[in-house]
Amino acid sequence: MSTWQRLIPAVLILLLAACGPRPEVHTERLLAFGTVVELSIYTHDRELVREAARVVGEDLDYMHRAWHAWEPGPLGRTNQLLATGAEFSANPSVLPLILEGQRLEADSDGLFNPALGALFALWGFHGDEREEHAPPDEAEIRALLETRPSMADIRVDGIRMRSDNPAVRLDLGGFAKGYGVDRAVERLRELGIEHAILNAGGDLRAIGRPGNRPWRIGIRHPDGEGVLASLELAGDESVYTSGDYERHFIYAGERYHHILDPRTGRPAREARSVTVIHRDGARADAAATALFVAGPARFAEIAARLGIEQAMLVDPQGAVLMTPAMAERIRFEQQPAPPVILVEPAR
């Protein structure tokens, strides 16, 4: 099976056929951040689309290499230096993400923790292959959690930094894609592009609109069977989904997914998927993970802490928990529609 076939997005762009003469929607595909990236631009200038795809592709490729936690590069070197406890000069390509990661961990009450890279490695989620293997021993998980790695352990003074905790190992994958897509959209605007969607494996940011209609997208059903719901986007919005179907392995008949609860060190089990709408892609990306870990019990609280007004959670039984602002946007495509519980973010 090819890379293109294996990467099924969580959000599917539902582009309507262009009516009338150009401009129209032109789409280019590329690979970045280990997934398929679709760049769709509403324009009459196809050469501009090709140039934008080249520029964005180069930018995303650079960001992926710079922020990869397990391969040689700026983030890998940062992890090595943090483990020493000594002060060092922060790499400029990594420093902004560390500062953002600190804010996101604090705002999520620790349910989103990019300092737990060693935990993801322990589970085998740091590589690209998903071979069947045994889950880590409970004693190994407990020993790692007892070291309490946190973004707050990283001390930043200007461009100098160090870590108070040698167990800190950064894995920025929980929000780096959102951060990178935001930077890529900035590049599109520098090129004069005002109407586009950048869809990175189902997580996306949309700007403008294709003519006199909004962008229309579909949210994947967590069972993997078609589209659960659709919504329309216009202006400037990001849509990010975390699902237990995205990265996982099966051992002895049990499925283990990559969304790990920092409190237990094990896959979170109170949700199947979470979708978040927010202008800031990095925050939407992290919030989808944090709300997945929070589950229904802390959904309202964590959404409020993160400043998220539009979010939807599908629980293991298929029921939907969502904010009223999200309910105004969502149209369920499958019938009968799932049972819905409206929850206002706690103030």
Side-chain angles (χ1 to χ4, degrees):
M1 184 179 293
S2 71
T3 300
W4 301 96
Q5 292 170 315
R6 286 190 287 108
L7 298 169
I8 302 174
V11 179
L12 311 170
I13 299 179
L14 307 178
L15 296 175
L16 303 178
C19 299
R22 294 183 177 183
E24 60 184 271
V25 175
H26 301 273
T27 300
E28 294 281 338
R29 287 188 172 189
L30 52 144
L31 283 170
F33 286 106
T35 192
V36 178
V37 176
E38 286 190 347
L39 174 60
S40 299
I41 300 174
Y42 181 71
T43 180
H44 66 278
D45 188 346
R46 191 161 187 85
E47 184 58 38
L48 176 62
V49 177
R50 285 191 285 266
E51 175 63 10
R54 183 190 66 79
V55 171
V56 166
E58 290 176 355
D59 286 354
L60 292 177
D61 183 62
Y62 170 79
M63 288 184 276
H64 176 66
R65 287 184 284 106
W67 303 338
H68 200 295
W70 319 112
E71 294 181 0
L75 183 57
R77 178 60 176 161
T78 298
N79 272 329
Q80 293 174 351
L81 294 171
L82 287 173
T84 69
E87 189 177 72
F88 62 95
S89 294
N91 187 289
S93 67
V94 174
L95 179 58
L97 280 88
I98 291 175
L99 297 174
E100 182 66 14
Q102 289 180 324
R103 289 187 287 267
L104 292 168
E105 183 188 13
D107 290 349
S108 68
D109 195 28
L111 298 189
F112 179 77
N113 184 354
L116 279 170
L119 180 64
F120 287 89
L122 187 63
W123 277 90
F125 289 123
H126 60 295
D128 295 327
E129 298 300 323
R130 300 289 171 264
E131 295 180 359
E132 182 174 326
H133 60 277
D137 184 78
E138 189 63 35
E140 293 179 283
I141 296 174
R142 188 165 54 250
L144 195 156
L145 293 184
E146 286 174 355
T147 65
R148 299 183 180 276
S150 167
M151 297 300 292
D153 294 325
I154 302 175
R155 308 296 178 181
V156 180
D157 181 10
I159 64 168
R160 305 286 291 175
M161 72 167 58
R162 63 181 178 84
S163 173
D164 294 335
N165 185 347
V168 167
R169 190 174 184 185
L170 298 174
D171 184 341
L172 307 179
F175 73 103
K177 184 165 62 172
Y179 191 94
V181 167
D182 282 353
R183 304 290 80 74
V185 168
E186 291 174 5
R187 290 281 280 178
L188 292 178
R189 285 178 162 151
E190 289 173 2
L191 293 170
I193 295 169
E194 299 178 355
H195 308 282
I197 281 186
L198 190 61
N199 176 16
D203 295 317
L204 61 87
R205 181 161 168 193
I207 56 173
R209 57 195 300 151
N212 60 3
R213 61 188 185 273
W215 300 102
R216 184 167 174 254
I217 67 167
I219 299 170
R220 179 181 172 181
H221 196 289
D223 288 338
E225 297 296 328
V227 175
L228 171 67
S230 62
L231 59 90
E232 295 181 341
L233 306 173
D236 187 346
E237 294 183 301
S238 296
V239 182
Y240 280 75
T241 296
S242 287
D244 63 7
Y245 48 81
E246 292 176 327
R247 296 170 62 193
H248 64 272
F249 66 88
I250 297 174
Y251 181 78
E254 186 169 354
R255 198 157 141 294
Y256 299 90
H257 65 78
H258 78 293
I259 306 174
L260 304 178
D261 187 334
R263 299 165 298 185
T264 66
R266 302 183 65 82
R269 297 298 188 187
E270 298 302 313
R272 294 293 316 283
S273 70
V274 170
T275 298
V276 171
I277 304 175
H278 195 271
R279 178 165 182 171
D280 185 304
R283 183 155 292 252
D285 200 358
T289 299
L291 291 172
F292 190 107
V293 173
R298 298 189 69 189
F299 179 85
E301 173 202 350
I302 300 303
R305 288 181 62 106
L306 285 162
I308 301 299
E309 296 184 354
Q310 301 178 67
M312 176 178 74
L313 178 150
V314 181
D315 76 10
Q317 290 72 47
V320 172
L321 192 75
M322 72 171 81
T323 62
M326 189 70 157
E328 294 177 1
R329 306 283 300 274
I330 286 291
R331 174 183 172 181
F332 289 106
E333 299 293 333
Q334 297 197 347
Q335 298 299 325
V340 174
I341 302 170
L342 296 183
V343 180
E344 190 77 50
R347 300 297 178 187

